[in-house]
Amino acid sequence: MQSSTFPTGKGHISFSEVKAWAECPFRHHLMYVEKINVYKDNPYADFGTILHDAIELFLNTKRPFDFDWINKNLEQTWKEKGYDTQEYINEIKTERSSNGWKYNHESCQDYQVSAKNILSDFENFMDETFPGWEPISAEFELGEKIDEDLKFKGFIDCIIARPKKPGSNKVEYWIIDWKTTGPNGWFYKKKKEFLSLAQVGMYKKFWAEKNNIPISDIKTGYVFLKRGAKPGKTCELLKVSTGPKFLQKSTDLINKMILNVKKGNKLKNYNNCVFCPYKQSEHCNGNGW
């Protein structure tokens, strides 16, 4: 569905788009309205994609993880994109150094070890964290109506059901998003930021409405899949409290974003220049305050 009124030309928005706008309306304009693509492949995102695919297959089939397939997939991706080449390593070191950061290279073999450790822990982690759990859906697609022109589009990584209490016939649902991270998970500050947590809140709102399920019966959280962590400590649940006030705040953010994009408002937020892909380019000076 194409929108004749929304400036992006699309008939839907996603959490990623809302987040981009909330961080910097001008970045959103460049990315979604002007459609200037400056995205660069990186090993962190590709590792996350491969783990997501492996977990999705496990949830849908309950077959054991195929570590040979995972290792070959990692090897092929790293070879195609040159992540272990000195040229790529130097490029990332230079980029990180310009922001005052250090870069410690992880080889394809390091990622393979991390994948094995995470996925070897995964089933026990789920059983211990969500006793009696059953998978409902993996990569559940949302396409829910917001107004006459727009839908909210998203893919919920995992939906499970489990008894509210041991032996109970009453069920609670969990909406879970997998996040691949470093060995320590998210920083404390990020665990408290509304924008970092809003994704599962938005997913809960639309999934509850779609299936006519009381929001009190739905829990939400992120599961950190921690690259480089020791075996037995690679998976961690961050529970997110998404009650009525949180969901209303999420709705308000969506509506505010839609209204401002329709009006063509695209102010620059210089507080969010550090990680911006357009920083100090022909599109934006990105010098910050």
Side-chain angles (χ1 to χ4, degrees), residues 142-288:
L142 291 168
E144 312 315 306
K145 189 173 181 179
I146 299 172
D147 60 26
E148 291 305 313
D149 287 321
L150 292 172
K151 292 182 178 182
F152 180 87
K153 183 177 181 179
F155 292 87
I156 303 175
D157 285 345
C158 179
I159 304 168
I160 64 171
R162 71 163 187 172
K164 283 192 172 182
K165 295 180 180 179
S168 171
N169 290 326
K170 294 183 178 181
V171 171
E172 71 177 21
Y173 300 94
W174 276 83
I175 288 177
I176 299 169
D177 194 82
W178 317 119
K179 296 295 185 189
T180 49
T181 72
N184 298 314
W186 281 357
F187 292 114
Y188 176 80
K189 183 180 178 182
K190 188 171 183 179
K191 290 180 179 181
K192 299 294 182 181
E193 288 176 344
F194 170 74
L195 195 56
S196 298
L197 307 177
Q199 183 176 9
V200 288
M202 292 180 188
Y203 287 173
K204 172 177 174 175
K205 164 187 161 57
F206 289 109
W207 190 74
E209 291 174 355
K210 182 181 182 71
N211 294 280
N212 196 28
I213 295 173
I215 62 170
S216 58
D217 289 343
I218 305 172
K219 308 290 186 182
T220 55
Y222 295 100
V223 169
F224 302 139
L225 309 172
K226 299 190 284 187
R227 187 186 72 256
K230 294 180 180 179
K233 298 183 180 296
T234 62
C235 302
E236 175 191 351
L237 171 66
L238 173 64
K239 297 179 182 178
V240 181
S241 179
T242 49
K245 288 184 178 179
F246 188 101
L247 298 187
Q248 186 59 54
K249 191 174 180 180
S250 300
T251 301
D252 291 344
L253 177 60
I254 292 171
N255 292 336
K256 186 178 180 181
M257 174 262 187
I258 292 171
L259 178 63
N260 278 274
V261 173
K262 282 184 175 180
K263 286 183 175 181
N265 297 334
K266 47 182 183 292
L267 295 175
K268 295 181 181 180
N269 181 2
Y270 287 114
N271 291 320
N272 275 321
C273 289
V274 174
F275 297 105
C276 182
Y278 302 102
K279 181 181 68 171
Q280 295 178 339
S281 72
E282 61 183 301
H283 310 292
C284 183
N285 57 30
N287 290 324

Side-chain angles (χ1 to χ4, degrees), residues 61-76:
T61 66
K62 277 290 186 172
R63 293 203 301 266
F65 291 110
D66 185 343
F67 290 108
D68 287 339
W69 175 85
I70 293 165
N71 285 336
K72 288 177 182 177
N73 205 345
L74 286 165
E75 286 174 4
Q76 182 178 349

Side-chain angles (χ1 to χ4, degrees), residues 1-18 28 32-33 35 141-155 206 254 257-258 261-262:
M1 171 182 168
Q2 294 297 311
S3 170
S4 60
T5 60
F6 201 58
T8 64
K10 298 184 301 181
H12 64 265
I13 62 169
S14 65
F15 169 73
S16 296
E17 186 172 349
V18 175
H28 172 272
Y32 291 96
V33 180
K35 303 187 188 304
E141 183 174 5
L142 291 168
E144 312 315 306
K145 189 173 181 179
I146 299 172
D147 60 26
E148 291 305 313
D149 287 321
L150 292 172
K151 292 182 178 182
F152 180 87
K153 183 177 181 179
F155 292 87
F206 289 109
I254 292 171
M257 174 262 187
I258 292 171
V261 173
K262 282 184 175 180

Side-chain angles (χ1 to χ4, degrees), residues 28-37 266:
H28 172 272
H29 178 79
L30 293 175
M31 189 177 296
Y32 291 96
V33 180
E34 296 292 337
K35 303 187 188 304
I36 299 170
N37 184 9
K266 47 182 183 292

